[in-house]
Amino acid sequence: MTLDDRIRAEIEARIRSGEWRPGHRIPFEHELVAHYGCARATVNKALTALAAAGLIERRRKAGSFVAQPHVRSAVLAIPDIGQMITARGDPYRYEVLTRRIRKARRITPEELLLRDEGALLAMTGVHIAADTPFAFESRVISLTAVPAARDADFGEGAPGSWLLEHVPWTDARHRISAVGAVPTVADALAIAAGLPCLQLERWTWRQGAAVTFVRQIFPADRYDLIGEFTSAGRP
Amino acid sequence: MTLDDRIRAEIEARIRSGEWRPGHRIPFEHELVAHYGCARATVNKALTALAAAGLIERRRKAGSFVAQPHVRSAVLAIPDIGQMITARGDPYRYEVLTRRIRKARRITPEELLLRDEGALLAMTGVHIAADTPFAFESRVISLTAVPAARDADFGEGAPGSWLLEHVPWTDARHRISAVGAVPTVADALAIAAGLPCLQLERWTWRQGAAVTFVRQIFPADRYDLIGEFTSAGRP
DNA sequence: CAGTGGTCTAGACCACGAA
DNA sequence: TCGTGGTCTAGACCACTGG
């Protein structure tokens, strides 16, 4: 463990244990320098990391203070479905149900965020794990942003995996909700209509340009999302 | 904008634009030092930040390389329900349905994670927004970790808000899933049994000691979770 | 206006790991 | 082996801001 790590850990422990309550002023940098017998840059690195983690707030001339508890935030890893199933040890395949190219509609709310005048590739399909439908997927890809998708052969992989390889770096927005399975989806998933499902929607951009919108629907009993680690403070 | 920020931003732009593909070696620190005419510590700070963000990987002797796209991760802010409703402008109250003190059961899986031999405060209640039930809540609080909860008057606020004030710093784990409303819950939410609901479960610890487990159930049409920001790379 | 944190410098030593 | 990144030092100047 490096020295700056040790300094950060010791201060963090005092905060998390409650010994230093929110609002408490932690020692000045020069005091910590004296205490640890190190350079100020080292202390500064530790405190900067704590501030970035939201555990402390720093104010010039005043000092550094234990931050107030913030909104709880969870980091949710949302993996590639194929990878997830494969990692679980089940055979995986993706089955295309529909595929067509059309203009953007202005009606559906999801496509409003893909504010794109050009053509879209619209697909639906099913992720299948060990011959059991695992998730229904409905996807729209902007052919303006990803012209190569028009003639791409996604093979037995999902278009999402293909996209991840060809358009690797993205920013995105997720929405998670519960829905009842509409008949089309229920059919594809081989469940009864109306059964509760977890719905994951994702809008993806690349450098500000809309790339794709996907809606994945999981039967309630086959998937849930685990949010690892929360600590009081900022994301 | 500081110099290290500028260096970081310029490299990040080249990665996100695709100019530097995954696997590409970015310039050595000493090359960037020459290019920017600054100290190595400044370049190192920029590259360290990029590595922490998961955009690059650094290997001694070999150099720094653009990282492969990673698992997609979303940072989900999971706010206090009362605050959220109040922020929306609706009147808010929490209504206690049941409340009792009992020993930990070994049967229910949620309490296995609260591996606690002591007494538990078990409560159920409803979050109400503008006279409409918004969420059903079932909570277990460890009286070993939070003895003050035994005699606490949560008033019209939810016990979660009370806990946040009295046990401010926590780590937690979330699970998000879809469920059908069981009759008890459906009753409390004034919806039909079996309708899809979003279920949010949270286990909370303080310094390794289990504090509370809560299960919140939202009717599908009244709540969804928005995950802000995803960037390829680590959380 | 004085003291804090924010940033940067020019140097150093070291551990790791690819060649 | 030896160049790379990892870390630290002792110093500096500056902007901000609280007293």
Side-chain angles (χ1 to χ4, degrees), chain B:
Chain B
M1 173 172 284
T2 61
L3 178 55
D4 62 350
D5 254 355
R6 200 187 115 208
I7 298 173
R8 188 193 47 68
E10 289 188 8
I11 296 174
E12 182 169 343
R14 295 199 183 208
I15 294 174
R16 294 202 184 277
S17 72
E19 181 182 339
W20 288 348
R21 311 283 307 171
H24 176 91
R25 186 182 65 71
I26 73 175
F28 294 127
E29 292 193 354
H30 66 78
E31 293 172 326
L32 292 168
V33 164
H35 181 270
Y36 288 99
C38 66
R40 185 164 81 95
T42 306
V43 164
N44 183 275
K45 188 178 176 189
L47 296 189
T48 300
L50 286 171
L55 278 173
I56 65 172
E57 284 177 3
R58 316 196 70 193
R59 291 200 300 274
R60 284 176 163 95
K61 170 73 178 177
S64 302
F65 300 83
V66 177
Q68 296 296 325
H70 235 242
V71 174
R72 296 157 181 269
S73 321
V75 174
L76 264 184
I78 298 180
D80 181 78
I81 295 180
Q83 281 181 13
M84 184 177 57
I85 291 176
T86 305
R88 214 170 59 175
D90 289 333
Y92 167 78
R93 70 175 199 277
Y94 181 83
E95 206 165 85
V96 175
L97 295 177
T98 68
R99 179 189 186 285
R100 63 205 186 85
I101 291 173
R102 58 171 171 78
K103 292 283 173 192
R105 283 192 293 246
R106 296 310 185 78
I107 310 163
T108 56
E110 59 268 22
E111 292 180 18
L112 287 181
L113 287 180
L114 285 176
R115 45 176 188 182
D116 188 331
E117 302 295 325
L120 298 177
L121 173 59
M123 309 177 66
T124 60
V126 195
H127 298 265
I128 298 177
D131 292 323
T132 303
F134 183 77
F136 175 84
E137 172 169 320
S138 165
R139 181 181 290 272
V140 175
I141 301 173
S142 160
L143 290 175
T144 313
V146 195
R150 185 184 290 267
D151 305 307
D153 175 23
F154 301 125
E156 284 217 336
S161 307
W162 182 91
L163 276 172
L164 196 56
E165 283 170 24
H166 290 71
V167 193
W169 299 103
T170 60
D171 293 319
R173 182 186 178 90
H174 290 88
R175 185 166 68 186
I176 299 163
S177 49
V179 296
V182 298
T184 316
V185 173
D187 251 23
L189 292 173
I191 60 174
L195 282 185
C197 294
L198 193 69
Q199 174 172 280
L200 174 64
E201 294 165 301
R202 175 167 53 230
W203 292 263
T204 306
W205 292 270
R206 172 188 173 84
Q207 292 296 98
V211 169
T212 186
F213 164 76
V214 63
R215 175 182 290 137
Q216 295 168 336
I217 298 176
F218 307 82
D221 55 347
R222 288 177 205 163
Y223 190 57
D224 46 29
L225 287 161
I226 302 289
E228 284 300 343
F229 293 176
T230 305
S231 77
R234 302 185 318 173

Side-chain angles (χ1 to χ4, degrees), chain A residues 35-231:
Chain A
H35 182 269
Y36 288 100
C38 66
R40 185 165 81 95
T42 307
V43 164
N44 183 276
K45 188 178 176 188
L47 296 189
T48 299
L50 287 171
L55 278 173
I56 66 172
E57 285 176 3
R58 316 196 70 193
R59 291 201 300 275
R60 284 177 162 98
K61 170 73 179 180
S64 302
F65 301 83
V66 177
Q68 296 296 325
H70 239 243
V71 174
R72 295 158 181 266
S73 319
V75 175
L76 265 184
I78 299 180
D80 181 79
I81 295 179
Q83 280 181 11
M84 185 178 57
I85 291 175
T86 305
R88 214 171 58 178
D90 289 332
Y92 166 78
R93 70 176 200 278
Y94 181 82
E95 205 165 86
V96 175
L97 296 177
T98 67
R99 181 188 185 284
R100 61 202 186 88
I101 290 173
R102 59 169 171 80
K103 291 284 173 189
R105 281 192 293 245
R106 297 309 186 77
I107 310 163
T108 56
E110 59 268 21
E111 292 181 17
L112 288 180
L113 287 180
L114 286 176
R115 45 176 186 179
D116 189 331
E117 302 296 325
L120 298 177
L121 172 60
M123 308 176 66
T124 60
V126 196
H127 298 266
I128 298 177
D131 291 324
T132 304
F134 183 77
F136 174 85
E137 173 170 318
S138 165
R139 180 182 290 273
V140 175
I141 301 173
S142 161
L143 290 176
T144 313
V146 196
R150 185 185 289 266
D151 305 307
D153 175 24
F154 301 125
E156 283 217 338
S161 307
W162 183 90
L163 275 172
L164 196 57
E165 285 171 23
H166 290 70
V167 193
W169 300 102
T170 61
D171 293 319
R173 182 185 179 91
H174 290 88
R175 185 166 69 186
I176 299 162
S177 50
V179 296
V182 298
T184 315
V185 173
D187 250 22
L189 292 173
I191 61 175
L195 283 186
C197 295
L198 194 68
Q199 173 172 281
L200 174 64
E201 293 165 302
R202 175 165 55 229
W203 292 263
T204 306
W205 292 270
R206 173 189 172 83
Q207 293 294 98
V211 169
T212 185
F213 164 76
V214 63
R215 175 182 289 136
Q216 295 169 335
I217 298 176
F218 307 82
D221 55 347
R222 288 176 204 162
Y223 190 57
D224 46 29
L225 287 162
I226 302 289
E228 284 300 343
F229 290 178
T230 305
S231 78

